[in-house]
Structures are given as C-alpha cells and as structure tokens.
Amino acid sequence: FASYYGDHMVLQKEPAGAMVWGHGQPGAVVTVALLGVGGFVVMKKTAQVKGPSGTWTNVLDPMDEGGPYTLTAKQGLENVTLQDIYFGDVWLCSGQSNMAMTVLQVANASQELAAAARYPYVRVFAAAPARSDTELEDLERIDLPWSIPTAENLGHGNFTYFSAVCWLLGRSLYEALGYPVGLVEAAWGGTPIEAWSSHRALWTCGLPQDTDRAPLWCGACFNSAVLSSSTSAHQHLSGPQTPSVLWNAMIHPLLNMTLRGIAWYQGEANAFLHTDRYNCSFPALVADWRQAFHTGSAGQTEPLLPFGFVQLSTYRRQSPDDSFARLRWHQTADLGVVPNTRMPGTFMAVAMDLGDEHSPYGSIHPRDKQNVAHRLLLGARAVAYGDKDLVFQGPYPTQAVLEVTRGLLNITYSQELVCRQRDVRSFEVCCSSQVSPCQWLPAPVVAVGSRTVTLALGGCGTLVLGLRYAWAEWPCEYQSCPLYNPQGLPAPPFL
C-alpha cells in the first residue's frame, strides 16, 4: 500500500467508493480483499501494477459506515494486512499555522486532551511538512500515521500534530453524524497560498510559476506600516513561499484519496504577499483541488467537493494597515459571503471577533479554536450535509437606502440583528468626489431595528460612494462585534 495506509484508518463510505492504491512489481496482479469480523470476505478485487511507475489503484465497492474490517493486498507470495479499518467520512485539513496549532495550544487544552479517549471512532493522520520542486506520488514523511486519538497525539507539541481546528471540527462532525470520521492534516505555518497551488491554478491568476527563481518574498513589497511593526513580516512568511512546492509534496500525493470535504485555514501570509491577487488565487485553488481530487480518485470524490475555510482573525490593534481587511474580503472572492457564484459549495467561519491579544503564541494565533470549529461545523452541516433548517452564517446587508434630507443611511439585513456594541467606527462611508483615493469617514449608528441599521452621515452630505463595515485589522473585541444574529454568529465584514 501507499505509505500512509495503515491500521486504524477511516475510508470514505458510500455513496462513494474508497480508492485504495499502492506499489508493486510492474505487470503483476494485486488482489485486494476486505474482510469482516471472523475473516468473512466482504469483497475481493484485482488490479494490475502499471509500469514503469510500479503503482496500482482500485476502487472498493461503496460501503455503509462502520467496521471494524481488515484490508489485505496480495501480490504473489507477498501479503500486506491492515487491521481495524472503519468506513465513514474523510476530511482533509490544510493551511498555515492557525491550522497547524495543536490541541495542546488552545483554550481549555487539558480538558480537550482529557476528552480525546471518548472519541475512538474519530481517526487522525498528519503528513509531515515537506516541499518539492516536482509533483510527488507519495508522501516523503509522515508525522502521525493513522491513529486512535490520545492526549499525546493530539497535543504532541506546538504547531506539530494534531491540528486543533481539524480535531474539534471532526469530533463535532462525529457527534452530529453518529458514524466514524477520518481526519487528514497537511499544514505548514507561515506559508502563502502560492506554495499550496498547482501550476495550473497559478497560471489561471497570472501568478509566477517558476520554482527555479528566488522565493516570492521581498522586503520592498511591504508598506511602511508593516515594516515598522514590532513583529516583522518575515515571521509570518517563515515557511516555504516558492510556488507549488507544498502542492507538490503534501497535496499531490493525497489525490487518490476519496474525500468528503476540505477545511482550510490560511491567509495570514498573504496579508503580506500578493494580497490583492487572493480574490483570484483562492477561488482558483478551490476549483483546482476539487478537479484534482475528483480525477485522482477515479471520479469517487464529488466534483463540487465541500470546501470550508476560516476567515482571518486579528493581529495588531490600532494598525493603520488594511491588508487583513482586504484579505478577509478577498477570501470571499470580493462578494462578502459564501457560498456565492464564484465560490459554490463553500462555507466560511468568521473569526474577526475571536482575537486573543495575550496568546502566548502571538496575537496572530488566537487560542479560541472551539468557536472556529463550531462555526465551521454549522457550515459543513448546511453545505456539505444539506441541513436546510440550519442558520450557518451571520446577517448580511441586502439593501442600503439614502435619506438625503435627514442625512441618514438605512441598511437592511438578511436576518434578525442583535446589537452587542455601538462602536462609532464600525461603519464607514466613502465621502469623496472620486472613488480612488476614497475619503473614509465614520458613520455612527443611530438606530438598530430588528433587521435594519440606521447610520448618520454627518458631513458627508449626499455624496456617498461607498460603505464598509468592520474594515480594520482588529475590528472588535472578543465576541463583541457590533452585529450578530440571535444564534450568536457575527455579521461578516463588507465593502
């Protein structure tokens, strides 16, 4: 088998068939068998080893959730046996350091680690950080082979294994679904989206694809606000930045896997690199990964593979730089909410109200990953699992009407509003005779109705060319943004 098959793994359940693959003698026939309790043969398949790669693939018949099963592969006298296999839903978790943060590092870590033993049917696997200038067929190294969760392998160390966001999401999915969940982590801190993108995706957005050139980072690319900050941009681009090197080494080897969904937490690095290309590079990555996993699994992974992501949290208070705000906007392909026409089948966890100034790992690494995972879970249940009655995102404006004579702007929202904070700077209007550069002025909230917000335009008069909300690197205090819905989900930022 491929190096990351092993005891305790979860394979994707029906309606898809799980793809299994491995290495053998070119031209030889490999017999794959799935055995139930007591050695009962559930199915038997054969595959020929292709030359010169020496690889074979096989799609198992769709299986109901459950187990345990034994999986064997035979070639001549050689025999490989994997034990304690379950069928359920398999999710891939990828991104940079906020995805790599382990359960050891989150709020209530000791409590979370102690609870690990209650979830033996949530299985975890972590690829080791690796880079390559060419697309690899197999992972170079594994940090955590398929395992039953324990306090040790969920809290191995800082930014190692296992991902807290991935674990908390998977555990919650298991509680909601009632059947096994397999979690695959492939993350590396300080990495931009370009490193996780294939050449195809980069080409789509006109981004550099040459892996022979120097890394993309360059000091001259950053404005003075970033360069003068106490924490340099170098720290947030600490991982590989060369185009495609993480796609090649950490994602391409996984493409044969049959997946149920993807969770992604990345973007901080791109607040310091190619920020205004992210509205192309992110939708391109989503589309490209979907196509690649669909093709790689012989069509078993669905073409519109559910893709959840975390919108950026916070970094520096009172920062004059708006790169975090721009990146949050670009994460939605400049449409504010997902799913949308440019990003169908996606869901988003807003995190701008989960800032953690006193995080021992730096304010860019908030410890409240439980709320992040809960918001991802709501999106997964609605978008990936079709729960139509679930509210999974916060309120968003549907209309803005100017009351010229009274100098007011009335905004209508999509949902009922709960006002937690009357922050005078949360809404701003563009008051200018030209759109660029725009003169942004605070528009204080004068009234909040059940679905409406009324703003005072002050000295803006009738010339309002734009409106934005929560457009700052640190837009609100912990769980105290101005607007939420009754379910406690924050209204996302918009421009």
Side-chain angles (χ1 to χ4, degrees):
F1 284 94
S3 64
Y4 26 97
Y5 278 90
D7 294 344
H8 314 304
M9 71 181 169
V10 173
L11 292 172
Q12 182 57 45
K13 73 173 192 71
E14 54 79 33
M19 167 85 95
V20 294
W21 74 100
H23 306 280
Q25 195 66 40
V29 172
V30 175
T31 302
V32 177
L34 186 71
L35 312 175
V37 178
F40 171 74
V41 178
V42 178
M43 76 177 79
K44 195 173 270 194
K45 301 261 180 177
T46 58
Q48 188 156 29
V49 181
K50 299 187 204 103
S53 65
T55 58
W56 57 268
T57 61
N58 217 313
V59 176
L60 302 182
D61 298 337
M63 291 288 297
D64 285 340
E65 69 262 13
Y69 293 95
T70 299
L71 193 60
T72 64
K74 287 184 182 176
Q75 175 201 283
L77 297 175
E78 289 186 72
N79 185 3
V80 178
T81 301
L82 306 178
Q83 310 276 359
D84 193 40
I85 309 299
Y86 280 78
F87 287 86
D89 280 351
V90 182
W91 282 75
L92 169 66
C93 301
S94 186
Q96 58 178 116
S97 55
N98 269 305
M99 182 60 87
M101 273 181 85
T102 65
V103 183
L104 181 72
Q105 297 175 270
V106 301
N108 302 323
S110 54
Q111 197 179 322
E112 298 291 3
L113 292 171
R118 298 208 305 265
Y119 298 93
Y121 302 111
V122 182
R123 305 292 173 83
V124 291
F125 173 94
R131 70 186 100 188
S132 172
D133 288 339
T134 57
E135 292 182 339
L136 302 184
E137 297 305 315
D138 214 344
L139 293 171
E140 281 186 357
R141 285 188 309 114
I142 292 158
D143 269 346
L144 180 67
W146 278 108
S147 301
I148 295 169
T150 63
E152 161 59 25
N153 60 33
L154 295 184
H156 178 76
N158 293 345
F159 303 106
T160 52
Y161 55 87
F162 187 77
S163 162
V165 168
C166 194
W167 166 252
L168 293 167
L169 171 62
R171 185 183 78 182
S172 301
L173 280 170
Y174 169 75
E175 288 173 338
L177 300 168
Y179 56 73
V181 173
L183 301 172
V184 177
E185 178 189 346
W188 192 333
T191 51
I193 196 168
E194 290 78 8
W196 294 100
S197 303
S198 73
H199 284 335
R200 292 181 304 275
L202 293 168
W203 180 84
T204 301
C205 297
L207 284 160
Q209 302 167 58
D210 186 0
T211 53
D212 297 326
R213 53 183 243 127
L216 294 164
W217 187 84
C218 98
C221 302
F222 304 104
N223 62 32
S224 58
V226 172
L227 290 175
S228 64
S229 72
S230 58
T231 313
S232 77
H234 281 280
Q235 179 183 332
H236 305 304
L237 289 162
S238 55
Q241 296 115 54
T242 310
S244 302
V245 290
L246 303 184
W247 158 265
N248 291 340
M250 297 178 73
I251 302 301
H252 191 268
L254 304 176
L255 293 182
N256 290 150
M257 293 184 87
T258 309
L259 295 181
R260 186 64 181 85
I262 293 175
W264 172 259
Y265 195 159
Q266 189 277 337
E268 297 88 349
N270 287 97
F272 306 100
L273 176 73
H274 292 162
T275 305
D276 291 321
R277 300 281 194 92
Y278 206 88
N279 58 3
C280 179
S281 55
F282 185 37
L285 176 138
V286 173
D288 186 65
W289 281 27
R290 282 172 168 165
Q291 179 60 48
F293 276 100
H294 178 66
T295 304
S297 64
Q300 297 305 303
T301 297
E302 62 181 278
L304 199 64
L305 178 64
F307 197 111
F309 64 94
V310 184
Q311 197 176 44
L312 287 197
S313 184
T314 53
Y315 177 26
R316 302 161 298 189
R317 282 188 189 276
Q318 312 301 331
S319 170
D321 184 46
D322 76 340
S323 61
F324 260 57
R326 297 200 321 274
L327 203 286
R328 287 187 197 111
W329 182 240
H330 296 330
Q331 284 179 292
T332 67
D334 299 353
L335 291 168
V337 285
V338 298
N340 59 44
T341 51
R342 288 192 62 201
M343 298 176 69
T346 61
F347 53 97
M348 173 175 78
V350 174
M352 66 180 179
D353 65 331
L354 303 177
D356 185 359
E357 195 170 18
H358 304 295
S359 170
Y361 315 105
S363 59
I364 206 163
H365 298 122
R367 287 167 289 181
D368 180 355
K369 295 297 192 262
Q370 288 87 347
N371 265 304
V372 168
H374 174 66
R375 292 169 185 181
L376 280 174
L377 171 71
L378 294 176
R381 286 177 58 192
V383 173
Y385 293 97
D387 189 337
K388 301 285 184 236
D389 300 321
L390 197 68
V391 176
F392 68 98
Q393 52 193 352
Y396 201 72
T398 56
Q399 185 179 329
V401 177
L402 203 56
E403 272 192 73
V404 178
T405 52
R406 299 173 64 200
L408 301 174
L409 185 63
N410 293 306
I411 306 166
T412 304
Y413 273 81
S414 59
Q415 298 173 29
E416 193 179 330
L417 298 173
V418 174
C419 182
R420 290 191 187 174
Q421 188 70 254
R422 287 281 184 101
D423 182 357
V424 73
R425 296 201 67 91
S426 55
F427 287 94
E428 296 170 294
V429 286
C430 169
C431 298
S432 182
S433 57
Q434 58 196 44
V435 176
S436 182
C438 200
Q439 184 189 3
W440 290 98
L441 297 176
V445 175
V446 295
V448 178
S450 69
R451 289 195 177 211
T452 59
V453 175
T454 302
L455 308 178
L457 297 177
C460 201
T462 59
L463 198 63
V464 181
L465 298 183
L467 171 68
R468 67 187 189 186
Y469 169 72
W471 201 264
E473 195 163 299
W474 198 299
C476 43
E477 294 311 303
Y478 182 73
Q479 294 198 4
S480 292
C481 279
L483 299 175
Y484 289 77
N485 62 15
Q487 291 80 11
L489 297 175
F494 69 79
L495 173 64

